[in-house]
Amino acid sequence: MLSQQDGGRDRINIAIDGPAGAGKSTVARSVAETLGYIYIDTGAMYRAVTLSALRNGISPDDRLRLSLHAESIEISLQPSAAGQVVLLNGCNVTTDIRSREVTLNVSQVSAVERVRIRLVAMQRQLAQGKGVVMDGRDIGSHVLPDAELKVYLTASVEERALRRFKELDGRDGITLEQLEQEIAERDRKDQEREISPLVCAPDAIVLDSTSMTIEQVADNIVNLSRTKLAEAK
């Protein structure tokens, strides 16, 4: 896993939650870089489990095999000059976990209780030393309920689909309308799953990024974190 800095003084934990396509990973990475914190992309961890399961012929419907498989694999996150590198059993899968097939199945895999238990334990261990920016669906509500700063980052379905459409740049032949439908369906699955559903923690600060740039959102969170740190002293 990632290495942690020594001591927790002058650092807090930041939890960023929100629906797919809201810009959480990009924002969290920027915030961590500005503050000198460790960035943990929990979504990448669930994607790695999904990728491994698909490669091994395990259906997202087979909860028992998924549970057993999640216990048998090793997932590591390593920082690099180009961003976070995701290793699955020692192999770099940073690009592979962003495939369309993984995207369409990750919500179902992440809803499996034993998969979540395994990964949540790993995530909490990484945050013990403070100075972590962690993004996902249930960080503030479940994984790090004691995080000093919780942010719920959202945007309209239309805006999130448009961002993804621009990222794909014509690849896969997916239309904007298809992406809107897929994102809306993923929202539904994430919000309705029984285990740790997507919710806004009661003490989270809601940021709607629909009309904001990544830089504006990141600057906002950095300022909020500095205020929280000052209040904690």
Side-chain angles (χ1 to χ4, degrees), residues 23-184:
K24 299 185 301 298
S25 296
T26 305
V27 166
R29 190 179 300 110
S30 177
V31 170
E33 183 176 351
T34 299
L35 296 174
Y37 283 15
I38 291 176
Y39 166 55
I40 301 173
D41 181 357
T42 64
M45 299 171 75
Y46 287 102
R47 283 176 173 272
V49 174
T50 304
L51 175 68
S52 184
L54 292 172
R55 285 180 170 177
N56 284 274
I58 300 173
S59 169
D61 295 322
D62 194 335
R63 289 176 171 255
L64 177 58
R65 289 189 67 197
L66 281 172
S67 299
L68 295 174
H69 188 69
E71 295 288 344
S72 71
I73 61 177
E74 293 296 329
I75 301 169
S76 299
L77 308 178
Q78 296 184 354
S80 74
Q84 187 169 260
V85 174
V86 182
L87 300 179
L88 174 63
N89 295 330
C91 296
N92 188 338
V93 294
T94 308
T95 300
D96 296 341
I97 63 172
R98 301 297 169 182
S99 72
R100 178 170 167 76
E101 185 180 19
V102 170
T103 297
L104 292 175
N105 288 285
V106 65
S107 288
Q108 196 165 355
V109 172
S110 63
V112 177
E113 183 174 15
R114 284 175 61 183
V115 172
R116 299 200 71 83
I117 288 173
R118 168 111 197 277
L119 296 190
V120 167
M122 296 166 65
Q123 293 155 10
R124 286 175 175 165
Q125 183 178 14
L126 288 170
Q128 286 180 351
K130 301 292 186 180
V132 156
V133 182
M134 190 179 294
D135 74 287
R137 300 289 191 281
D138 63 342
I139 309 306
S141 61
H142 179 67
V143 181
L144 301 179
D146 296 326
E148 290 83 354
L149 175 60
K150 300 176 185 178
V151 174
Y152 188 85
L153 183 61
T154 188
S156 68
V157 170
E158 294 78 12
E159 176 63 22
R160 288 184 279 140
L162 181 60
R163 291 172 184 173
R164 180 58 176 159
F165 185 72
K166 290 178 178 178
E167 287 178 3
L168 289 173
D169 193 26
R171 298 192 303 275
D172 297 333
I174 307 301
T175 67
L176 181 58
E177 291 73 18
Q178 282 178 283
L179 287 173
E180 287 182 5
Q181 293 173 0
E182 289 175 3
I183 286 176

Side-chain angles (χ1 to χ4, degrees), residues 1-18:
M1 297 298 292
L2 286 165
S3 62
Q4 180 60 286
Q5 302 175 43
D6 294 329
R9 293 179 299 175
D10 298 325
R11 288 180 287 128
I12 63 173
N13 285 335
I14 302 173
I16 302 178
D17 289 307

